[in-house]
Amino acid sequence: MRTAYSVGTVRGAERELMGRLPEGALMQRAAAGLAAAAADLLGRVYGARVTLLVGSGDNGGDALYAGARLARRGAGVTAVLLAPDRTHPAGLAALRAAGGRAIPATGRAIPATGRAIPATGRAIPGTPGGASSETSGGAISGSGRAVPGTPGGAVPGSTGGVVPETPGGASRPAGARTGPREGASGSSGGGSPSGGQLRTAPGPTGVEDAARDAERALARADLVVDGIVGIGGRGGLRPEAEWLACVARDGRAVVLAVDLPSGVDADTGEVQGPAIRADATVTFGAYKPGLLVDPAAEHTGALRLVDIGLDPYLPGTPDVEALQHADVAERLPVPSAESDKYRRGVVGVVAGSARYPGAAVLAVAGALHGGAGAVRYVGPAADAVIARFPETLVHAGPPAKAGRVQAWVIGPGLGDSADARRSLEDVLASDVPVLVDADGLRLLDRARVRARRAPTVLTPHAGEAAALLGVERGEVESARLAAVRRLAAEYGATALLKGSTTLVAPAPGQAGPVRVNPTGTGWLATAGSGDVLSGLGGALLAAGLEARDAASVAAYVHGLAGRFAAGRDGGPVGASDVAAALAPAWRDITSATG
């Protein structure tokens, strides 16, 4: 299980650990892990050019100490100081002693050239429509640049772009953190750094000279290290920091973020302004929720965790968690020698209409490939279902008279007719778990769901979630963690919020944190894919999995099936392809752990 903890929890664990370590040890651990990751990205350290973007907080200190380690190995290291008078003094001294140099950042705002960080509303030179340049095959997630010397652009040692832990790697609790805690993202200032000899000529000439020096250092760099702000930062980058980030993105260097990309929210995953878009991120001690959740996750690139010894000081229950293969394998139902179809689970599917018969076929496909002992279909698309899956048990309705089931799925392609409304009421009146999707969500009554005694699972995409919560879609997409938690709380149900990052929040009173689904691919954004997921989730409910497990396991297997269907190089898939890939994905999970 991959676990993530809030900023407050991580800070508390760091304080406990620092009380048991020599002064400065925690920051040295962080710097060692950061320098090792930087060396992996560079491939060859000697002769490489590294530029550090250094803010006033602890992340700036981490970057400076890591830069000193790289300088001692022969790299040319330049630190661009955003707050020279508040730079970590010991880190700056260490960098200079190792042969690195430091220059002040300019106080000038972003030039009016249309240049901006990718994913902001401004155009980027050389890209049509102002979009950020992206490449496939070798580019880190969200970036247009491959990480040198690594297959697929991932940080060495990573799986699927994420390095869970670095066994035996440097541990982090950077020790005597003397710099002030970060406030707003990015910092500005002038004058001489503590313990340094920097001087900036007065007047416009000095400002322009500093700007040229900083831009030249970024343009020539092989690696840019983002140490502007850390996990305590809030809001987007300030203008000076935004300008430097623009220059870094326009250059050829790989961008490595320290703990998290500056400008993203570590707790929520929100991006409320300009932010660094990194090719890779090294985070210390524990994952932070925002690194795993979009939109912030899109800025993170390949994610690497450096163990700094925090585990004994972290609570047993994280704020967010993500299942891995072994966790899913433990939860997948396995029939015994004495199993029959009822012991394996019978799932009822109420889906499809004269207009959308295919939705019924796809939901049944997901259920049949999801381990159900039998599938009972209720609705007007029986002929289409039987033609494709003759093993399905069909009934004209109503659902209450269809026969024994251990769970219901209702909604895909259902429409909003009087019959559809009656079917929904019938299913919600049952005493078995119910999964509601698509049209079923649009017909849903909040009080009716809250009154149910059996578990209910809601599976909206962002638009459907916005309608359920009475907000704009953009509000859901920009604050996904808050939205899924609110859905679960307001409807008294387990909520699965579909999207680029699929999240599962338990119903009120149910134990466990929100789960983030780590599988999936953009190719799953195709008509009918959600219908397959609904059938799969319903089958797992019928097999006896509790609601949060059923939803999160279904999302994991479905996402993996999407990857399998798209192939190693990626390519268009249909929902039927995803359904057909469920069984191979299931076998991959169980074989990898058995």
Side-chain angles (χ1 to χ4, degrees):
M1 190 81 71
R2 182 173 295 132
T3 55
Y5 293 87
S6 69
V7 171
T9 300
V10 171
R11 292 291 195 216
E14 285 184 337
R15 283 192 296 270
E16 285 196 58
L17 180 56
M18 282 191 289
R20 293 166 168 79
L21 293 173
E23 184 177 353
L26 192 58
M27 186 166 280
Q28 290 298 335
R29 290 182 179 183
L34 178 61
D40 286 344
L41 291 172
L42 288 167
R44 177 182 172 87
V45 176
Y46 187 85
R49 291 172 174 170
V50 178
T51 297
L52 316 175
L53 299 180
V54 180
S56 60
D58 292 338
N59 267 37
D62 295 338
L64 288 165
Y65 276 120
R69 289 172 179 265
L70 296 172
R72 287 197 295 270
R73 294 178 59 180
V77 182
T78 300
V80 178
L81 310 182
L82 280 85
D85 57 337
R86 290 180 287 133
T87 300
H88 192 282
L92 183 58
L95 176 68
R96 286 196 169 120
R101 71 187 187 109
I103 59 175
T106 172
R108 110 184 158 182
I110 302 174
T113 59
R115 177 171 59 188
I117 305 170
T120 68
R122 300 180 189 79
I124 300 164
T127 59
S132 61
S133 174
E134 295 186 4
T135 62
S136 59
I140 291 292
S141 171
S143 77
R145 251 183 229 88
V147 175
T150 60
V155 174
S158 70
T159 303
V162 177
V163 177
E165 287 103 29
T166 52
S171 53
R172 170 263 174 69
R177 292 180 169 265
T178 59
R181 291 294 168 199
E182 304 89 345
S185 296
S187 51
S188 60
S192 299
S194 301
Q197 299 295 322
L198 285 178
R199 291 197 178 97
T200 301
T205 301
V207 170
E208 291 301 318
D209 286 347
R212 280 192 292 272
D213 285 347
E215 189 161 358
R216 188 179 300 113
L218 288 166
R220 292 177 175 178
D222 301 301
L223 177 72
V224 172
V225 178
D226 162 31
I228 300 173
V229 292
I231 59 176
R234 293 292 183 270
L237 294 172
R238 292 178 180 177
E240 181 174 276
E242 183 182 4
W243 168 69
L244 291 170
C246 289
V247 176
R249 290 311 307 171
D250 287 345
R252 63 185 180 87
V254 172
V255 177
L256 174 63
V258 181
D259 224 359
L260 86 170
S262 296
V264 310
D265 192 295
D267 278 341
T268 68
E270 297 176 39
V271 181
Q272 297 179 337
I276 290 285
R277 187 175 287 267
D279 296 300
T281 297
V282 175
T283 197
F284 307 120
Y287 293 107
K288 289 76 184 177
L291 297 176
L292 306 180
V293 179
D294 283 334
E298 292 182 345
H299 291 68
T300 300
L303 182 58
R304 179 170 182 168
L305 175 66
V306 172
D307 177 11
I308 55 170
L310 291 189
D311 284 354
Y313 309 99
L314 293 169
T317 301
D319 293 280
V320 167
E321 65 185 17
L323 299 178
Q324 304 298 289
H325 257 39
D327 306 305
V328 176
E330 289 177 1
R331 291 162 172 79
L332 287 175
V334 179
S336 69
E338 295 185 354
S339 293
D340 58 31
K341 62 185 178 185
Y342 294 106
R343 288 190 177 95
R344 291 187 60 195
V346 179
V347 59
V349 176
V350 184
S353 58
R355 185 178 182 185
Y356 299 114
V361 175
L362 292 168
V364 167
L368 286 170
H369 291 92
V375 178
R376 293 190 188 277
Y377 171 74
V378 179
D383 289 345
V385 169
I386 287 295
R388 182 66 181 86
F389 299 111
E391 62 268 46
T392 309
L393 310 173
V394 300
H395 195 280
K401 296 183 179 180
R404 176 182 172 186
V405 300
Q406 278 97 348
W408 282 105
V409 173
I410 186 166
L414 191 65
D416 60 357
S417 66
D419 284 344
R421 295 174 186 274
R422 282 191 293 268
S423 292
L424 179 60
E425 180 59 33
D426 209 19
V427 165
L428 292 177
S430 70
D431 60 358
V432 300
V434 172
L435 185 150
V436 187
D437 185 35
D439 288 337
L441 296 169
R442 287 184 271 277
L443 303 177
L444 210 55
D445 177 75
R446 184 180 315 195
R448 185 70 188 83
V449 176
R450 292 188 64 87
R452 295 197 77 237
R453 300 179 69 95
T456 307
V457 178
L458 309 181
T459 60
H461 56 58
E464 292 162 341
L468 290 171
L469 295 173
V471 300
E472 294 297 319
R473 178 178 184 135
E475 184 175 334
V476 172
E477 291 177 329
S478 65
R480 302 183 63 82
L481 268 175
V484 75
R485 286 173 172 147
R486 183 180 164 195
L487 272 171
E490 292 192 8
Y491 283 82
T494 297
L496 184 156
L497 178 58
K498 295 180 285 195
S500 56
T501 304
T502 292
L503 303 175
V504 177
Q510 300 300 308
V514 171
R515 282 183 177 158
V516 179
N517 182 51
T519 64
T521 168
W523 296 111
L524 279 171
T526 185
S529 173
D531 303 337
V532 176
L533 175 62
S534 295
L536 173 59
L540 294 170
L541 285 170
L545 273 68
E546 62 92 14
R548 186 177 69 126
D549 276 347
S552 51
V553 168
Y556 191 100
V557 177
H558 181 261
L560 188 61
R563 290 184 185 176
F564 280 20
R568 180 178 297 273
D569 296 326
V573 300
S576 295
D577 301 320
V578 177
L582 289 176
W586 189 300
R587 287 191 292 271
D588 181 78
I589 292 166
T590 55
S591 64
T593 57

